[in-house]
Amino acid sequence: STQRHGDSNPNMDAAYIALSIICTVLCTLYILWRYAQRDTPWWSYIVALGYFLPFETIALIPLDVQETLSVGTQKYLLDLWNFVFWTQMVITWLIFPTVLEVVRSGEFTWKGRGKAVFRRQMKFYAVAASLGLAFIMYLAIVKGLTGAALVGFVIACANAWGLFLLIILLGFGLVEVPRRLWHLASFEQNLNDSYFAAVAIEDAHMQSKFDVDDVVKLVWAAAQKVRGSDPLRPFVDVLVAKMPMEDGFGVEDIRLTSDVESDLGEVTYERLVKLHATLKDKVAQLHRSQHQWDELVDKTCWLEDVIASRSSPHQTILSTLREPRDGFLAAFRDRLEWHFYVHFWPIGCRLLAVLCALMSLLVVIGETTLYFSSGTGFHPFLFSNLLRRDYGAFTTKFVCALPLGFIAYCTWYSLFKIKVPGWYGLYRDKHTDTGSLIFVAETLCRLSAPLAYNFINMIDIPNGITFHEVMGKMNTAPVLGKDGFNNWFPTLLLLFVLLHLLRVFNKLLRTLGLSNYAFTEDKQNLSRIGEGKEMLARARQKKEREKGIGDQRGGRGTYIENTLRKIHNPSVANVDQSPLRGSQQNIRPLTTSLLKPGTTRSDSGSAVLSSGGLNRIGSRTVSTSFENFVAPSNSSNTQSSSRFQSWFGSNNNL
């Protein structure tokens, strides 16, 4: 039985609530700062509520559990739960869908957006209300549903939908979080994953370019048809202003064909509205795909640099794509970074992976036995047995927050991970459109209460906690209420976990034609890894040209040599890295895809230049996997070859 002792401490409770609010506000601001596009409309920042309230819901559960175990249910918590729960219900089912329609509408004026959104929303709510009313009448006649239970029925419907999403997302997260942590420990595995992903991301980026090109041609065709005196001209000008043009190209370079004009058809206001919505969507998708590619290139370059520097006796991660550190404790910070990634990172990731795998196993056991253990006194979920008594304010909250936080993280990880092209996806570094931010906030609000209620059902505290008094109103609803959907559906979590563990879930979606909703891609094949490897090698060389490395005498090798000089002997003057003069000024770096590993090519000019007693290497071996920064190909460069081998060790170690 539940043991209660001690008195509630209002000051401690107020401090916990204040601290939880501060933390959730900071998390919300960080997400918006990290993901939201810079041109996000100010009025759409109501989306912040959709992140703050779900986070606060999870934060309040440990307080509620501790208070219940200590002194019983609390009136102030009941008022707080009613405010948090019903605010989420209103914004997730009424406000956010409306704002989302406004954001994705192609209307040019606020009045037009309002009318369009009203029409679409009324259609949706009319259908939903008709179905709901018919079901309520059926239950009232057959099952004896009373008016007092109507609110409970509404809560039960919202909870059922949220629980359905929760089990699907949690099934992926419980498998993928430990698996991802285990893979993060291996830089080689991550590098192969990047090579494998490069082909799909590049294909998606090229497709986005083609889609934007098609829409731009339609817009330009409309601009040719609608002249200055036409009432539709201002709307066409809005479309023309939003046309993305590559550097060096203008509207005069657009070539129209009869097929384009045929696809455009008659230019009406309704046609321009659809064209506006399509243009916004395709341009946003183009920006997202470009960001995905840039992010992949940066990640791959970093992994290559770490792998190449692991055996360096200088204990420094060197890169041609970033400046060496200087200033206070620069050498110490370099060595600390090297030790962290070479020694501590693999061990830490694998340790976390094992711990998360154990937590996943405990959660699966708790969920799959929920239906059979409810009300029996048998508690296979470990934390349910631990939360039989109050251990004090801090310890009880911690014991409760640990599994709850893990379940919430796995669920949110899945939500943030999935990307549906043309509709939804979260992209870091301010590349997430407003519609995706709203969609995630809407889904978080629909998940938070079912997640919390499912958790407190698993720990099965006798007589329930204060949150039960809000959610418990749905117990009278037939089918969805007590001992119904809430108890038996979580048992399906085991099925979803097995599908993801055996990598069957995504294949099943693709078989059903729902590949856009897959969480991850199918695993690798060697040909695709090789193709992606060449793509990323070219992308790295492009970044080096932009940095000026490719135009310097000695290229990568001299750059790294000067970097080591700056780090370990700053008093020695750097080797001259000025661009080549005369006939050598236009020399381009070799593209690795054009040369097989181990082949060489001598650039025009002397093969070996000498300055300050150091060799300048004009002929070098290209390594598509970046196993070494420079590998001299001439026997006359033995001195330079041994120098680089001493820096990075033998290539066989890579």
Side-chain angles (χ1 to χ4, degrees):
S1 62
T2 304
Q3 298 182 15
R4 298 179 179 177
H5 61 81
D7 298 321
S8 176
N9 189 331
N11 293 331
M12 288 289 291
D13 296 346
Y16 178 87
I17 294 174
L19 181 62
S20 68
I21 291 175
I22 292 173
C23 292
T24 50
V25 166
L26 292 177
C27 289
T28 300
L29 293 176
Y30 173 77
I31 288 175
L32 295 179
W33 170 79
R34 185 73 186 273
Y35 289 95
Q37 288 179 337
R38 291 182 174 85
D39 58 350
T40 299
W42 64 268
W43 48 267
S44 65
Y45 277 102
I46 189 177
V47 71
L49 280 175
Y51 294 91
F52 169 74
L53 291 175
F55 295 162
E56 188 63 20
T57 299
I58 302 304
L60 289 176
I61 289 294
L63 173 64
D64 197 351
V65 170
Q66 191 271 323
E67 286 287 283
T68 301
L69 292 175
S70 177
V71 296
T73 58
Q74 297 289 309
K75 177 65 169 60
Y76 80 92
L77 276 176
L78 180 60
D79 295 336
L80 187 58
W81 277 127
N82 277 313
F83 171 77
V84 171
F85 176 78
W86 287 109
T87 302
Q88 288 185 89
M89 286 285 285
V90 171
I91 64 176
T92 191
W93 293 105
L94 294 176
I95 297 179
F96 282 165
T98 302
V99 177
L100 187 59
E101 289 291 342
V102 171
V103 169
R104 289 178 170 165
S105 173
E107 292 285 345
F108 296 93
T109 64
W110 280 103
K111 183 179 179 180
R113 291 177 186 173
K115 289 181 178 180
V117 170
F118 180 79
R119 287 194 299 267
R120 282 194 290 267
Q121 292 296 94
M122 285 302 100
K123 290 179 182 178
F124 169 77
Y125 287 120
V127 173
S130 300
L131 294 176
L133 183 60
F135 190 57
I136 289 173
M137 292 177 62
Y138 166 77
L139 292 177
I141 296 173
V142 178
K143 299 291 186 180
L145 181 66
T146 64
L150 181 60
V151 174
F153 178 73
V154 172
I155 296 176
C157 290
N159 183 77
W161 175 247
L163 186 61
F164 174 76
L165 294 177
L166 170 66
I167 297 303
I168 292 177
L169 294 173
L170 185 59
F172 173 75
L174 291 177
V175 174
E176 186 62 20
V177 169
R179 178 185 284 164
R180 181 61 182 157
L181 285 170
W182 187 267
H183 286 172
L184 282 176
S186 171
F187 293 110
E188 287 81 0
Q189 177 67 42
N190 276 277
L191 192 58
N192 281 335
D193 290 343
S194 297
Y195 291 152
F196 176 77
V199 178
I201 293 177
E202 175 66 11
D203 289 346
H205 183 49
M206 292 303 298
Q207 185 60 50
S208 298
K209 287 184 176 181
F210 294 145
D211 292 341
V212 169
D213 182 64
D214 292 340
V215 178
V216 165
K217 288 179 179 178
L218 291 175
V219 171
W220 189 240
Q224 300 300 308
K225 283 187 176 183
V226 180
R227 297 302 178 180
S229 59
D230 195 300
L232 296 177
R233 186 64 200 188
F235 306 122
V236 174
D237 290 338
V238 172
L239 295 178
V240 172
K242 293 184 178 181
M243 289 167 48
M245 304 301 295
E246 295 185 8
D247 295 338
F249 293 89
V251 292
E252 65 276 2
D253 298 302
I254 300 177
R255 298 292 180 263
L256 301 179
T257 64
S258 58
D259 292 338
V260 174
E261 296 181 356
S262 175
D263 292 339
L264 178 63
E266 183 182 359
V267 181
T268 62
Y269 179 77
E270 290 74 17
R271 182 70 179 102
L272 293 179
V273 167
K274 292 181 180 179
L275 200 56
H276 188 203
T278 303
L279 180 63
K280 290 197 301 183
D281 175 62
K282 298 305 181 183
V283 170
Q285 184 62 30
L286 176 63
H287 291 161
R288 289 193 293 265
S289 63
Q290 179 64 56
H291 169 68
Q292 277 189 291
W293 175 254
D294 293 339
E295 189 177 51
L296 181 68
V297 172
D298 291 339
K299 173 187 173 182
T300 303
C301 292
W302 169 249
L303 290 171
E304 290 174 339
D305 293 340
V306 173
I307 292 173
S309 302
R310 280 190 308 193
S311 57
S312 170
H314 297 282
Q315 299 181 352
T316 302
I317 297 177
L318 297 171
S319 174
T320 57
L321 299 175
R322 68 172 184 174
E323 294 294 331
R325 290 190 177 94
D326 53 12
F328 183 67
L329 296 178
F332 171 76
R333 288 155 58 198
D334 285 336
R335 287 184 171 85
L336 182 63
E337 178 187 52
W338 184 87
H339 282 290
F340 175 78
Y341 283 105
V342 173
H343 297 299
F344 300 122
W345 178 269
I347 297 174
C349 286
R350 286 187 173 141
L351 180 61
L352 282 176
V354 172
L355 294 176
C356 288
L358 292 175
M359 285 293 295
S360 295
L361 180 61
L362 292 176
V363 172
V364 171
I365 292 174
E367 292 283 10
T368 53
T369 58
L370 179 61
Y371 180 74
F372 307 101
S373 61
S374 179
T376 64
F378 174 65
H379 304 290
F381 185 48
L382 173 64
F383 290 92
S384 177
N385 293 297
L386 292 177
L387 291 171
R388 296 291 93 196
R389 58 182 296 270
D390 180 28
Y391 301 96
F394 176 80
T395 306
T396 303
K397 291 185 181 72
F398 177 78
V399 172
C400 179
L402 186 62
L404 176 62
F406 180 75
I407 293 172
Y409 177 80
C410 289
T411 305
W412 296 338
Y413 174 86
S414 304
L415 181 61
F416 279 54
K417 178 80 172 178
I418 190 172
K419 293 174 174 59
V420 182
W423 172 252
Y424 152 75
L426 287 181
Y427 301 89
R428 293 175 291 183
D429 300 328
K430 304 183 185 300
H431 285 84
T432 302
D433 62 286
T434 308
S436 293
L437 287 173
I438 295 173
F439 181 81
V440 173
E442 180 182 273
T443 307
L444 285 174
C445 288
R446 294 176 183 179
L447 283 170
S448 61
L451 191 157
Y453 189 67
N454 174 255
F455 174 76
I456 59 179
N457 281 341
M458 273 204 301
I459 61 177
D460 193 23
I461 294 179
N463 302 321
I465 63 176
T466 306
F467 187 62
H468 266 114
E469 297 187 28
V470 178
M471 298 294 290
K473 297 175 183 178
M474 67 179 177
N475 287 339
T476 58
V479 182
L480 302 177
K482 188 176 182 181
D483 299 328
F485 184 82
N486 290 321
N487 279 355
W488 67 260
F489 187 75
T491 60
L492 296 180
L493 178 67
L494 178 62
L495 173 63
F496 288 104
V497 167
L498 291 176
L499 289 176
H500 287 294
L501 189 63
L502 302 175
R503 304 185 187 277
V504 177
F505 186 80
N506 290 338
K507 295 179 181 178
L508 181 61
L509 288 181
R510 291 183 175 88
T511 302
L512 298 175
L514 301 174
S515 57
N516 282 341
Y517 299 95
F519 288 95
T520 57
E521 289 191 83
D522 290 332
K523 275 302 160 183
Q524 310 148 343
N525 58 72
L526 294 178
S527 62
R528 188 165 173 179
I529 291 177
E531 186 179 353
K533 190 175 182 180
E534 293 181 357
M535 288 180 176
L536 290 168
R538 291 194 294 269
R540 179 174 187 123
Q541 289 195 336
K542 180 181 178 182
K543 291 175 70 72
E544 289 178 344
R545 286 198 299 271
E546 293 172 353
K547 189 176 175 65
I549 303 303
D551 293 331
Q552 296 173 3
R553 283 196 302 236
R556 288 177 176 174
T558 302
Y559 181 85
I560 295 300
E561 184 173 299
N562 287 335
T563 299
L564 283 173
R565 283 175 172 271
K566 183 174 181 179
I567 294 173
H568 299 289
N569 194 5
S571 61
V572 179
N574 282 349
V575 179
D576 177 26
Q577 295 188 27
S578 59
L580 296 175
R581 304 295 183 184
S583 61
Q584 298 182 2
Q585 189 172 6
N586 295 324
I587 293 178
R588 295 183 177 181
L590 299 181
T591 302
T592 56
S593 63
L594 302 179
L595 295 176
K596 296 180 179 179
T599 61
T600 62
R601 167 185 165 184
S602 296
D603 294 322
S604 60
S606 58
V608 180
L609 303 175
S610 179
S611 175
L614 294 175
N615 288 332
R616 295 296 194 175
I617 306 166
S619 174
R620 51 187 26 86
T621 298
V622 177
S623 174
T624 56
S625 62
F626 193 52
E627 291 176 346
N628 49 357
F629 288 102
V630 174
S633 59
N634 289 345
S635 59
S636 60
N637 292 328
T638 305
Q639 179 182 355
S640 295
S641 177
S642 60
R643 182 189 302 119
F644 286 108
Q645 290 180 2
S646 68
W647 290 342
F648 301 113
S650 172
N651 291 337
N652 295 330
N653 295 330
L654 301 177

